[in-house]
Amino acid sequence: MRLPRGGEQGTARVRLRVSAQGQLTAAAISKSSGSSILDRAALQAAQKARYPRASMALAPGNYAFEFSPRFTNWNKRPGAPLRGAA
């Protein structure tokens, strides 16, 4: 995922509950990245995402999932100068 402003890097684990109709019913951090900025960005990503309807073969109800967005700074390579650095 794109790194939020602030330059922090890390991985958060987000627990989701999604209805059979594809509606997000709950989202929470199940394992913090150690950064409130990244945790908040992970929750925002979960809230903005679109979820598909469940297959008709599944029982109606809510389904639980977890995902772990990893925020990285692609511009920061070992030995490479930072953007804007002279």
Side-chain angles (χ1 to χ4, degrees):
M1 298 190 79
R2 188 175 66 176
L3 187 68
R5 289 185 179 161
E8 296 183 62
Q9 299 182 63
T11 303
R13 186 176 305 143
V14 182
R15 181 176 298 128
L16 308 172
R17 292 196 63 77
V18 179
S19 73
Q21 292 76 34
Q23 298 295 315
L24 180 68
T25 60
I29 297 294
S30 60
K31 183 178 179 194
S32 175
S33 66
S35 164
S36 62
I37 293 170
L38 298 183
D39 291 349
R40 191 168 37 253
L43 282 174
Q44 288 174 349
Q47 292 164 347
K48 289 181 181 181
R50 293 185 182 182
Y51 301 96
R53 290 180 178 263
S55 165
M56 296 296 276
L58 294 174
N62 291 330
Y63 293 88
F65 303 92
E66 284 198 354
F67 82 105
S68 298
R70 187 169 89 189
F71 297 92
T72 60
N73 187 345
W74 292 98
N75 296 325
K76 194 173 181 182
R77 297 184 314 266
L82 296 175
R83 266 192 186 165

